[in-house]
């Protein structure tokens, strides 16, 4: 899933490559695996939405949502309120050895887990 972040004609988008399932787990699990979350194996829970296709399946995102606005049409993304702002870390993307000079660019962003 790509989220376009600029006006039409200006190339700028964010590719959502994965996410962490929070709620409603049973509904997301039904969409992803066809069974309740508590019925999943440890492996299935670990790999629930850690890739673009897995995330899209869990969120029931299909080609039908192509060109939909995230601000209307019952399609929205929200962030859970947190006590402190998240710590965002970067690293090189994974498994793109073929990308030559872009292999080590810090183009992977993720929330760091606080200890």
């Amino acid at each position: 899933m790509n989220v376009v972040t600029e006006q039409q004609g200006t190339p700028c988008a964010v590719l959502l490559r994965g996410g962490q399932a929070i709620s409603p787990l049973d509904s997301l699990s039904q969409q992803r695996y066809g069974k309740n979350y508590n019925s999943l194996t440890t492996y299935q829970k670990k790999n629930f939405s850690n890739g673009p296709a897995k995330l899209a399946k869990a969120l029931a995102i299909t080609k039908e949502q192509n060109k939909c606005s995230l601000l209307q049409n019952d399609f929205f993304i929200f962030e859970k309120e947190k006590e402190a702002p998240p710590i965002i870390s970067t690293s090189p993307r994974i498994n793109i050895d073929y990308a030559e000079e872009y292999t080590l660019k810090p183009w992977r962003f993720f929330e760091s887990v606080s200890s």
Side-chain angles (χ1 to χ4, degrees), residues 21-59:
I22 297 174
S23 175
L25 290 175
D26 279 335
S27 177
L28 296 170
S29 182
Q30 284 292 334
Q31 291 165 176
R32 170 82 167 94
Y33 290 108
K35 55 186 175 180
N36 289 334
Y37 187 78
N38 289 334
S39 302
L40 301 181
T41 65
T42 302
Y43 179 83
Q44 288 172 319
K45 288 178 182 178
K46 178 182 175 192
N47 295 289
F48 194 85
S49 55
N50 63 344
K54 296 173 188 177
L55 177 64
K57 190 166 184 180
L59 295 175

PDB file of all heavy atoms in Angstrom, residues 21-59:
ATOM      1  N   ALA A  21      -0.142  -5.150  14.526  1.00  0.00           N
ATOM      2  CA  ALA A  21      -1.572  -5.288  14.798  1.00  0.00           C
ATOM      3  C   ALA A  21      -1.842  -5.009  16.271  1.00  0.00           C
ATOM      4  O   ALA A  21      -1.178  -5.556  17.136  1.00  0.00           O
ATOM      5  CB  ALA A  21      -2.041  -6.690  14.444  1.00  0.00           C
ATOM      6  N   ILE A  22      -2.816  -4.149  16.530  1.00  0.00           N
ATOM      7  CA  ILE A  22      -3.149  -3.797  17.914  1.00  0.00           C
ATOM      8  C   ILE A  22      -4.597  -4.165  18.219  1.00  0.00           C
ATOM      9  O   ILE A  22      -4.882  -4.853  19.184  1.00  0.00           O
ATOM     10  CB  ILE A  22      -2.908  -2.298  18.172  1.00  0.00           C
ATOM     11  CG1 ILE A  22      -1.421  -1.978  18.007  1.00  0.00           C
ATOM     12  CG2 ILE A  22      -3.383  -1.902  19.557  1.00  0.00           C
ATOM     13  CD1 ILE A  22      -1.097  -0.512  18.095  1.00  0.00           C
ATOM     14  N   SER A  23      -5.525  -3.708  17.378  1.00  0.00           N
ATOM     15  CA  SER A  23      -6.926  -3.930  17.674  1.00  0.00           C
ATOM     16  C   SER A  23      -7.743  -3.662  16.412  1.00  0.00           C
ATOM     17  O   SER A  23      -7.376  -2.774  15.630  1.00  0.00           O
ATOM     18  CB  SER A  23      -7.345  -2.980  18.788  1.00  0.00           C
ATOM     19  OG  SER A  23      -8.709  -3.070  19.053  1.00  0.00           O
ATOM     20  N   PRO A  24      -8.805  -4.366  16.185  1.00  0.00           N
ATOM     21  CA  PRO A  24      -9.346  -5.541  16.867  1.00  0.00           C
ATOM     22  C   PRO A  24      -8.668  -6.809  16.337  1.00  0.00           C
ATOM     23  O   PRO A  24      -8.815  -7.160  15.166  1.00  0.00           O
ATOM     24  CB  PRO A  24     -10.825  -5.507  16.519  1.00  0.00           C
ATOM     25  CG  PRO A  24     -10.867  -4.843  15.167  1.00  0.00           C
ATOM     26  CD  PRO A  24      -9.700  -3.885  15.126  1.00  0.00           C
ATOM     27  N   LEU A  25      -7.928  -7.472  17.171  1.00  0.00           N
ATOM     28  CA  LEU A  25      -7.101  -8.602  16.758  1.00  0.00           C
ATOM     29  C   LEU A  25      -7.892  -9.730  16.110  1.00  0.00           C
ATOM     30  O   LEU A  25      -7.445 -10.310  15.117  1.00  0.00           O
ATOM     31  CB  LEU A  25      -6.282  -9.125  17.938  1.00  0.00           C
ATOM     32  CG  LEU A  25      -5.162  -8.202  18.409  1.00  0.00           C
ATOM     33  CD1 LEU A  25      -4.495  -8.761  19.653  1.00  0.00           C
ATOM     34  CD2 LEU A  25      -4.140  -7.979  17.309  1.00  0.00           C
ATOM     35  N   ASP A  26      -9.049 -10.081  16.664  1.00  0.00           N
ATOM     36  CA  ASP A  26      -9.828 -11.178  16.078  1.00  0.00           C
ATOM     37  C   ASP A  26     -10.299 -10.839  14.668  1.00  0.00           C
ATOM     38  O   ASP A  26     -10.249 -11.666  13.763  1.00  0.00           O
ATOM     39  CB  ASP A  26     -11.010 -11.560  16.962  1.00  0.00           C
ATOM     40  CG  ASP A  26     -10.596 -12.460  18.112  1.00  0.00           C
ATOM     41  OD1 ASP A  26      -9.568 -13.156  17.998  1.00  0.00           O
ATOM     42  OD2 ASP A  26     -11.311 -12.471  19.131  1.00  0.00           O
ATOM     43  N   SER A  27     -10.736  -9.613  14.464  1.00  0.00           N
ATOM     44  CA  SER A  27     -11.196  -9.191  13.142  1.00  0.00           C
ATOM     45  C   SER A  27     -10.040  -9.179  12.141  1.00  0.00           C
ATOM     46  O   SER A  27     -10.161  -9.692  11.022  1.00  0.00           O
ATOM     47  CB  SER A  27     -11.819  -7.795  13.238  1.00  0.00           C
ATOM     48  OG  SER A  27     -12.217  -7.340  11.976  1.00  0.00           O
ATOM     49  N   LEU A  28      -8.899  -8.625  12.542  1.00  0.00           N
ATOM     50  CA  LEU A  28      -7.723  -8.597  11.671  1.00  0.00           C
ATOM     51  C   LEU A  28      -7.245 -10.007  11.367  1.00  0.00           C
ATOM     52  O   LEU A  28      -6.859 -10.321  10.235  1.00  0.00           O
ATOM     53  CB  LEU A  28      -6.604  -7.787  12.328  1.00  0.00           C
ATOM     54  CG  LEU A  28      -6.882  -6.299  12.545  1.00  0.00           C
ATOM     55  CD1 LEU A  28      -5.808  -5.682  13.425  1.00  0.00           C
ATOM     56  CD2 LEU A  28      -6.998  -5.572  11.225  1.00  0.00           C
ATOM     57  N   SER A  29      -7.278 -10.869  12.369  1.00  0.00           N
ATOM     58  CA  SER A  29      -6.840 -12.251  12.201  1.00  0.00           C
ATOM     59  C   SER A  29      -7.769 -13.016  11.253  1.00  0.00           C
ATOM     60  O   SER A  29      -7.312 -13.828  10.443  1.00  0.00           O
ATOM     61  CB  SER A  29      -6.784 -12.948  13.562  1.00  0.00           C
ATOM     62  OG  SER A  29      -6.329 -14.262  13.421  1.00  0.00           O
ATOM     63  N   GLN A  30      -9.059 -12.758  11.335  1.00  0.00           N
ATOM     64  CA  GLN A  30     -10.014 -13.393  10.419  1.00  0.00           C
ATOM     65  C   GLN A  30      -9.700 -13.000   8.980  1.00  0.00           C
ATOM     66  O   GLN A  30      -9.732 -13.835   8.080  1.00  0.00           O
ATOM     67  CB  GLN A  30     -11.456 -13.014  10.773  1.00  0.00           C
ATOM     68  CG  GLN A  30     -12.012 -13.714  11.977  1.00  0.00           C
ATOM     69  CD  GLN A  30     -12.219 -15.207  11.750  1.00  0.00           C
ATOM     70  OE1 GLN A  30     -12.411 -15.682  10.630  1.00  0.00           O
ATOM     71  NE2 GLN A  30     -12.163 -15.969  12.825  1.00  0.00           N
ATOM     72  N   GLN A  31      -9.382 -11.724   8.781  1.00  0.00           N
ATOM     73  CA  GLN A  31      -9.066 -11.247   7.437  1.00  0.00           C
ATOM     74  C   GLN A  31      -7.742 -11.827   6.944  1.00  0.00           C
ATOM     75  O   GLN A  31      -7.608 -12.163   5.774  1.00  0.00           O
ATOM     76  CB  GLN A  31      -9.019  -9.713   7.419  1.00  0.00           C
ATOM     77  CG  GLN A  31     -10.373  -9.114   7.606  1.00  0.00           C
ATOM     78  CD  GLN A  31     -10.378  -7.643   7.960  1.00  0.00           C
ATOM     79  OE1 GLN A  31     -11.440  -7.094   8.055  1.00  0.00           O
ATOM     80  NE2 GLN A  31      -9.250  -7.009   8.177  1.00  0.00           N
ATOM     81  N   ARG A  32      -6.779 -11.974   7.829  1.00  0.00           N
ATOM     82  CA  ARG A  32      -5.443 -12.446   7.440  1.00  0.00           C
ATOM     83  C   ARG A  32      -5.376 -13.964   7.320  1.00  0.00           C
ATOM     84  O   ARG A  32      -4.836 -14.496   6.372  1.00  0.00           O
ATOM     85  CB  ARG A  32      -4.416 -11.939   8.471  1.00  0.00           C
ATOM     86  CG  ARG A  32      -3.032 -12.520   8.363  1.00  0.00           C
ATOM     87  CD  ARG A  32      -2.191 -11.834   7.305  1.00  0.00           C
ATOM     88  NE  ARG A  32      -0.811 -12.206   7.455  1.00  0.00           N
ATOM     89  CZ  ARG A  32      -0.230 -13.212   6.788  1.00  0.00           C
ATOM     90  NH1 ARG A  32      -0.908 -13.907   5.911  1.00  0.00           N
ATOM     91  NH2 ARG A  32       1.034 -13.496   6.998  1.00  0.00           N
ATOM     92  N   TYR A  33      -5.916 -14.687   8.331  1.00  0.00           N
ATOM     93  CA  TYR A  33      -5.766 -16.140   8.387  1.00  0.00           C
ATOM     94  C   TYR A  33      -7.079 -16.925   8.336  1.00  0.00           C
ATOM     95  O   TYR A  33      -7.058 -18.141   8.221  1.00  0.00           O
ATOM     96  CB  TYR A  33      -5.044 -16.547   9.673  1.00  0.00           C
ATOM     97  CG  TYR A  33      -3.592 -16.162   9.707  1.00  0.00           C
ATOM     98  CD1 TYR A  33      -3.146 -15.130  10.519  1.00  0.00           C
ATOM     99  CD2 TYR A  33      -2.651 -16.852   8.950  1.00  0.00           C
ATOM    100  CE1 TYR A  33      -1.799 -14.790  10.573  1.00  0.00           C
ATOM    101  CE2 TYR A  33      -1.308 -16.513   8.998  1.00  0.00           C
ATOM    102  CZ  TYR A  33      -0.889 -15.484   9.805  1.00  0.00           C
ATOM    103  OH  TYR A  33       0.436 -15.152   9.851  1.00  0.00           O
ATOM    104  N   GLY A  34      -8.206 -16.234   8.513  1.00  0.00           N
ATOM    105  CA  GLY A  34      -9.487 -16.932   8.519  1.00  0.00           C
ATOM    106  C   GLY A  34      -9.786 -17.628   9.840  1.00  0.00           C
ATOM    107  O   GLY A  34     -10.594 -18.562   9.885  1.00  0.00           O
ATOM    108  N   LYS A  35      -9.142 -17.194  10.924  1.00  0.00           N
ATOM    109  CA  LYS A  35      -9.419 -17.754  12.253  1.00  0.00           C
ATOM    110  C   LYS A  35      -9.114 -16.716  13.326  1.00  0.00           C
ATOM    111  O   LYS A  35      -8.468 -15.703  13.058  1.00  0.00           O
ATOM    112  CB  LYS A  35      -8.623 -19.042  12.490  1.00  0.00           C
ATOM    113  CG  LYS A  35      -7.128 -18.933  12.307  1.00  0.00           C
ATOM    114  CD  LYS A  35      -6.491 -20.319  12.426  1.00  0.00           C
ATOM    115  CE  LYS A  35      -5.007 -20.286  12.138  1.00  0.00           C
ATOM    116  NZ  LYS A  35      -4.394 -21.606  12.256  1.00  0.00           N
ATOM    117  N   ASN A  36      -9.596 -16.962  14.551  1.00  0.00           N
ATOM    118  CA  ASN A  36      -9.407 -16.027  15.654  1.00  0.00           C
ATOM    119  C   ASN A  36      -7.938 -15.920  16.048  1.00  0.00           C
ATOM    120  O   ASN A  36      -7.157 -16.851  15.879  1.00  0.00           O
ATOM    121  CB  ASN A  36     -10.231 -16.457  16.873  1.00  0.00           C
ATOM    122  CG  ASN A  36     -11.705 -16.257  16.640  1.00  0.00           C
ATOM    123  OD1 ASN A  36     -12.120 -15.408  15.855  1.00  0.00           O
ATOM    124  ND2 ASN A  36     -12.518 -17.051  17.313  1.00  0.00           N
ATOM    125  N   TYR A  37      -7.579 -14.768  16.586  1.00  0.00           N
ATOM    126  CA  TYR A  37      -6.193 -14.484  16.955  1.00  0.00           C
ATOM    127  C   TYR A  37      -5.636 -15.507  17.942  1.00  0.00           C
ATOM    128  O   TYR A  37      -4.501 -15.946  17.803  1.00  0.00           O
ATOM    129  CB  TYR A  37      -6.087 -13.065  17.530  1.00  0.00           C
ATOM    130  CG  TYR A  37      -4.661 -12.632  17.770  1.00  0.00           C
ATOM    131  CD1 TYR A  37      -3.863 -12.205  16.710  1.00  0.00           C
ATOM    132  CD2 TYR A  37      -4.117 -12.657  19.043  1.00  0.00           C
ATOM    133  CE1 TYR A  37      -2.554 -11.816  16.914  1.00  0.00           C
ATOM    134  CE2 TYR A  37      -2.810 -12.269  19.255  1.00  0.00           C
ATOM    135  CZ  TYR A  37      -2.028 -11.848  18.193  1.00  0.00           C
ATOM    136  OH  TYR A  37      -0.724 -11.462  18.408  1.00  0.00           O
ATOM    137  N   ASN A  38      -6.426 -15.910  18.924  1.00  0.00           N
ATOM    138  CA  ASN A  38      -5.948 -16.866  19.930  1.00  0.00           C
ATOM    139  C   ASN A  38      -5.681 -18.254  19.349  1.00  0.00           C
ATOM    140  O   ASN A  38      -5.027 -19.076  19.968  1.00  0.00           O
ATOM    141  CB  ASN A  38      -6.928 -16.965  21.092  1.00  0.00           C
ATOM    142  CG  ASN A  38      -6.923 -15.718  21.940  1.00  0.00           C
ATOM    143  OD1 ASN A  38      -5.935 -15.001  21.999  1.00  0.00           O
ATOM    144  ND2 ASN A  38      -8.037 -15.441  22.591  1.00  0.00           N
ATOM    145  N   SER A  39      -6.196 -18.530  18.144  1.00  0.00           N
ATOM    146  CA  SER A  39      -5.966 -19.812  17.481  1.00  0.00           C
ATOM    147  C   SER A  39      -4.670 -19.837  16.670  1.00  0.00           C
ATOM    148  O   SER A  39      -4.269 -20.878  16.173  1.00  0.00           O
ATOM    149  CB  SER A  39      -7.124 -20.135  16.535  1.00  0.00           C
ATOM    150  OG  SER A  39      -8.335 -20.172  17.235  1.00  0.00           O
ATOM    151  N   LEU A  40      -4.021 -18.698  16.540  1.00  0.00           N
ATOM    152  CA  LEU A  40      -2.810 -18.614  15.724  1.00  0.00           C
ATOM    153  C   LEU A  40      -1.620 -19.231  16.435  1.00  0.00           C
ATOM    154  O   LEU A  40      -1.526 -19.219  17.660  1.00  0.00           O
ATOM    155  CB  LEU A  40      -2.481 -17.152  15.401  1.00  0.00           C
ATOM    156  CG  LEU A  40      -3.530 -16.353  14.651  1.00  0.00           C
ATOM    157  CD1 LEU A  40      -3.028 -14.943  14.398  1.00  0.00           C
ATOM    158  CD2 LEU A  40      -3.913 -17.022  13.349  1.00  0.00           C
ATOM    159  N   THR A  41      -0.692 -19.744  15.639  1.00  0.00           N
ATOM    160  CA  THR A  41       0.559 -20.253  16.200  1.00  0.00           C
ATOM    161  C   THR A  41       1.460 -19.070  16.540  1.00  0.00           C
ATOM    162  O   THR A  41       1.221 -17.940  16.096  1.00  0.00           O
ATOM    163  CB  THR A  41       1.288 -21.153  15.182  1.00  0.00           C
ATOM    164  OG1 THR A  41       1.683 -20.345  14.067  1.00  0.00           O
ATOM    165  CG2 THR A  41       0.401 -22.307  14.723  1.00  0.00           C
ATOM    166  N   THR A  42       2.499 -19.324  17.288  1.00  0.00           N
ATOM    167  CA  THR A  42       3.471 -18.284  17.622  1.00  0.00           C
ATOM    168  C   THR A  42       4.084 -17.714  16.349  1.00  0.00           C
ATOM    169  O   THR A  42       4.271 -16.506  16.217  1.00  0.00           O
ATOM    170  CB  THR A  42       4.578 -18.852  18.539  1.00  0.00           C
ATOM    171  OG1 THR A  42       3.945 -19.377  19.710  1.00  0.00           O
ATOM    172  CG2 THR A  42       5.573 -17.801  18.926  1.00  0.00           C
ATOM    173  N   TYR A  43       4.373 -18.583  15.386  1.00  0.00           N
ATOM    174  CA  TYR A  43       4.947 -18.155  14.110  1.00  0.00           C
ATOM    175  C   TYR A  43       3.985 -17.217  13.376  1.00  0.00           C
ATOM    176  O   TYR A  43       4.397 -16.182  12.844  1.00  0.00           O
ATOM    177  CB  TYR A  43       5.259 -19.370  13.237  1.00  0.00           C
ATOM    178  CG  TYR A  43       5.826 -19.016  11.890  1.00  0.00           C
ATOM    179  CD1 TYR A  43       7.184 -18.740  11.731  1.00  0.00           C
ATOM    180  CD2 TYR A  43       5.006 -18.945  10.765  1.00  0.00           C
ATOM    181  CE1 TYR A  43       7.708 -18.401  10.498  1.00  0.00           C
ATOM    182  CE2 TYR A  43       5.514 -18.607   9.531  1.00  0.00           C
ATOM    183  CZ  TYR A  43       6.868 -18.337   9.401  1.00  0.00           C
ATOM    184  OH  TYR A  43       7.379 -17.986   8.174  1.00  0.00           O
ATOM    185  N   GLN A  44       2.694 -17.560  13.347  1.00  0.00           N
ATOM    186  CA  GLN A  44       1.708 -16.724  12.668  1.00  0.00           C
ATOM    187  C   GLN A  44       1.581 -15.365  13.349  1.00  0.00           C
ATOM    188  O   GLN A  44       1.482 -14.342  12.672  1.00  0.00           O
ATOM    189  CB  GLN A  44       0.351 -17.423  12.627  1.00  0.00           C
ATOM    190  CG  GLN A  44       0.317 -18.594  11.662  1.00  0.00           C
ATOM    191  CD  GLN A  44      -0.968 -19.391  11.766  1.00  0.00           C
ATOM    192  OE1 GLN A  44      -1.477 -19.634  12.853  1.00  0.00           O
ATOM    193  NE2 GLN A  44      -1.493 -19.799  10.618  1.00  0.00           N
ATOM    194  N   LYS A  45       1.599 -15.354  14.678  1.00  0.00           N
ATOM    195  CA  LYS A  45       1.520 -14.081  15.397  1.00  0.00           C
ATOM    196  C   LYS A  45       2.747 -13.222  15.120  1.00  0.00           C
ATOM    197  O   LYS A  45       2.640 -12.011  14.916  1.00  0.00           O
ATOM    198  CB  LYS A  45       1.374 -14.329  16.898  1.00  0.00           C
ATOM    199  CG  LYS A  45       0.011 -14.863  17.282  1.00  0.00           C
ATOM    200  CD  LYS A  45      -0.074 -15.136  18.766  1.00  0.00           C
ATOM    201  CE  LYS A  45      -1.430 -15.714  19.155  1.00  0.00           C
ATOM    202  NZ  LYS A  45      -1.512 -16.036  20.589  1.00  0.00           N
ATOM    203  N   LYS A  46       3.913 -13.848  15.091  1.00  0.00           N
ATOM    204  CA  LYS A  46       5.164 -13.113  14.842  1.00  0.00           C
ATOM    205  C   LYS A  46       5.167 -12.501  13.444  1.00  0.00           C
ATOM    206  O   LYS A  46       5.681 -11.412  13.234  1.00  0.00           O
ATOM    207  CB  LYS A  46       6.358 -14.049  15.014  1.00  0.00           C
ATOM    208  CG  LYS A  46       7.685 -13.397  14.740  1.00  0.00           C
ATOM    209  CD  LYS A  46       8.827 -14.383  14.887  1.00  0.00           C
ATOM    210  CE  LYS A  46      10.137 -13.725  14.481  1.00  0.00           C
ATOM    211  NZ  LYS A  46      11.209 -14.688  14.324  1.00  0.00           N
ATOM    212  N   ASN A  47       4.607 -13.195  12.480  1.00  0.00           N
ATOM    213  CA  ASN A  47       4.620 -12.771  11.078  1.00  0.00           C
ATOM    214  C   ASN A  47       3.264 -12.239  10.609  1.00  0.00           C
ATOM    215  O   ASN A  47       2.949 -12.281   9.431  1.00  0.00           O
ATOM    216  CB  ASN A  47       5.070 -13.938  10.198  1.00  0.00           C
ATOM    217  CG  ASN A  47       6.498 -14.310  10.487  1.00  0.00           C
ATOM    218  OD1 ASN A  47       7.414 -13.582  10.145  1.00  0.00           O
ATOM    219  ND2 ASN A  47       6.700 -15.432  11.156  1.00  0.00           N
ATOM    220  N   PHE A  48       2.494 -11.725  11.526  1.00  0.00           N
ATOM    221  CA  PHE A  48       1.117 -11.305  11.271  1.00  0.00           C
ATOM    222  C   PHE A  48       1.015 -10.239  10.179  1.00  0.00           C
ATOM    223  O   PHE A  48       0.220 -10.353   9.260  1.00  0.00           O
ATOM    224  CB  PHE A  48       0.505 -10.779  12.575  1.00  0.00           C
ATOM    225  CG  PHE A  48      -0.978 -10.621  12.525  1.00  0.00           C
ATOM    226  CD1 PHE A  48      -1.800 -11.689  12.799  1.00  0.00           C
ATOM    227  CD2 PHE A  48      -1.542  -9.407  12.211  1.00  0.00           C
ATOM    228  CE1 PHE A  48      -3.180 -11.556  12.758  1.00  0.00           C
ATOM    229  CE2 PHE A  48      -2.913  -9.254  12.166  1.00  0.00           C
ATOM    230  CZ  PHE A  48      -3.734 -10.335  12.438  1.00  0.00           C
ATOM    231  N   SER A  49       1.808  -9.195  10.287  1.00  0.00           N
ATOM    232  CA  SER A  49       1.708  -8.079   9.329  1.00  0.00           C
ATOM    233  C   SER A  49       3.077  -7.465   9.044  1.00  0.00           C
ATOM    234  O   SER A  49       3.208  -6.261   8.909  1.00  0.00           O
ATOM    235  CB  SER A  49       0.730  -7.024   9.848  1.00  0.00           C
ATOM    236  OG  SER A  49       1.104  -6.597  11.137  1.00  0.00           O
ATOM    237  N   ASN A  50       4.088  -8.330   8.958  1.00  0.00           N
ATOM    238  CA  ASN A  50       5.460  -7.849   8.780  1.00  0.00           C
ATOM    239  C   ASN A  50       5.896  -7.791   7.318  1.00  0.00           C
ATOM    240  O   ASN A  50       7.051  -7.984   7.002  1.00  0.00           O
ATOM    241  CB  ASN A  50       6.440  -8.691   9.603  1.00  0.00           C
ATOM    242  CG  ASN A  50       6.481 -10.135   9.164  1.00  0.00           C
ATOM    243  OD1 ASN A  50       5.609 -10.610   8.459  1.00  0.00           O
ATOM    244  ND2 ASN A  50       7.494 -10.858   9.608  1.00  0.00           N
ATOM    245  N   GLY A  51       5.002  -7.507   6.445  1.00  0.00           N
ATOM    246  CA  GLY A  51       5.305  -7.335   5.034  1.00  0.00           C
ATOM    247  C   GLY A  51       4.140  -6.646   4.355  1.00  0.00           C
ATOM    248  O   GLY A  51       3.025  -6.656   4.875  1.00  0.00           O
ATOM    249  N   PRO A  52       4.376  -6.020   3.197  1.00  0.00           N
ATOM    250  CA  PRO A  52       3.310  -5.245   2.560  1.00  0.00           C
ATOM    251  C   PRO A  52       2.057  -6.047   2.233  1.00  0.00           C
ATOM    252  O   PRO A  52       0.941  -5.587   2.486  1.00  0.00           O
ATOM    253  CB  PRO A  52       3.955  -4.692   1.295  1.00  0.00           C
ATOM    254  CG  PRO A  52       5.348  -5.158   1.270  1.00  0.00           C
ATOM    255  CD  PRO A  52       5.629  -5.976   2.477  1.00  0.00           C
ATOM    256  N   ALA A  53       2.205  -7.242   1.700  1.00  0.00           N
ATOM    257  CA  ALA A  53       1.027  -8.045   1.352  1.00  0.00           C
ATOM    258  C   ALA A  53       0.317  -8.543   2.609  1.00  0.00           C
ATOM    259  O   ALA A  53      -0.920  -8.589   2.659  1.00  0.00           O
ATOM    260  CB  ALA A  53       1.428  -9.221   0.471  1.00  0.00           C
ATOM    261  N   LYS A  54       1.072  -8.923   3.630  1.00  0.00           N
ATOM    262  CA  LYS A  54       0.475  -9.393   4.888  1.00  0.00           C
ATOM    263  C   LYS A  54      -0.310  -8.268   5.554  1.00  0.00           C
ATOM    264  O   LYS A  54      -1.411  -8.476   6.067  1.00  0.00           O
ATOM    265  CB  LYS A  54       1.566  -9.899   5.830  1.00  0.00           C
ATOM    266  CG  LYS A  54       2.305 -11.112   5.316  1.00  0.00           C
ATOM    267  CD  LYS A  54       3.469 -11.430   6.235  1.00  0.00           C
ATOM    268  CE  LYS A  54       4.362 -12.515   5.670  1.00  0.00           C
ATOM    269  NZ  LYS A  54       5.518 -12.748   6.550  1.00  0.00           N
ATOM    270  N   LEU A  55       0.263  -7.065   5.558  1.00  0.00           N
ATOM    271  CA  LEU A  55      -0.418  -5.914   6.146  1.00  0.00           C
ATOM    272  C   LEU A  55      -1.701  -5.602   5.387  1.00  0.00           C
ATOM    273  O   LEU A  55      -2.761  -5.403   5.988  1.00  0.00           O
ATOM    274  CB  LEU A  55       0.513  -4.697   6.138  1.00  0.00           C
ATOM    275  CG  LEU A  55      -0.071  -3.395   6.662  1.00  0.00           C
ATOM    276  CD1 LEU A  55      -0.427  -3.516   8.140  1.00  0.00           C
ATOM    277  CD2 LEU A  55       0.900  -2.248   6.438  1.00  0.00           C
ATOM    278  N   ALA A  56      -1.613  -5.583   4.061  1.00  0.00           N
ATOM    279  CA  ALA A  56      -2.800  -5.291   3.247  1.00  0.00           C
ATOM    280  C   ALA A  56      -3.898  -6.326   3.481  1.00  0.00           C
ATOM    281  O   ALA A  56      -5.071  -5.985   3.593  1.00  0.00           O
ATOM    282  CB  ALA A  56      -2.423  -5.236   1.770  1.00  0.00           C
ATOM    283  N   LYS A  57      -3.521  -7.599   3.587  1.00  0.00           N
ATOM    284  CA  LYS A  57      -4.524  -8.649   3.808  1.00  0.00           C
ATOM    285  C   LYS A  57      -5.184  -8.487   5.182  1.00  0.00           C
ATOM    286  O   LYS A  57      -6.402  -8.600   5.305  1.00  0.00           O
ATOM    287  CB  LYS A  57      -3.888 -10.029   3.676  1.00  0.00           C
ATOM    288  CG  LYS A  57      -4.910 -11.132   3.664  1.00  0.00           C
ATOM    289  CD  LYS A  57      -4.334 -12.438   3.196  1.00  0.00           C
ATOM    290  CE  LYS A  57      -5.430 -13.484   3.109  1.00  0.00           C
ATOM    291  NZ  LYS A  57      -4.930 -14.771   2.651  1.00  0.00           N
ATOM    292  N   ALA A  58      -4.396  -8.220   6.218  1.00  0.00           N
ATOM    293  CA  ALA A  58      -4.952  -8.042   7.563  1.00  0.00           C
ATOM    294  C   ALA A  58      -5.895  -6.844   7.627  1.00  0.00           C
ATOM    295  O   ALA A  58      -6.894  -6.874   8.335  1.00  0.00           O
ATOM    296  CB  ALA A  58      -3.825  -7.893   8.588  1.00  0.00           C
ATOM    297  N   LEU A  59      -5.578  -5.797   6.877  1.00  0.00           N
ATOM    298  CA  LEU A  59      -6.408  -4.598   6.879  1.00  0.00           C
ATOM    299  C   LEU A  59      -7.499  -4.642   5.810  1.00  0.00           C
ATOM    300  O   LEU A  59      -8.240  -3.669   5.637  1.00  0.00           O
ATOM    301  CB  LEU A  59      -5.534  -3.352   6.664  1.00  0.00           C
ATOM    302  CG  LEU A  59      -4.532  -3.057   7.776  1.00  0.00           C
ATOM    303  CD1 LEU A  59      -3.657  -1.873   7.391  1.00  0.00           C
ATOM    304  CD2 LEU A  59      -5.243  -2.797   9.097  1.00  0.00           C
TER     305      LEU A  59
END
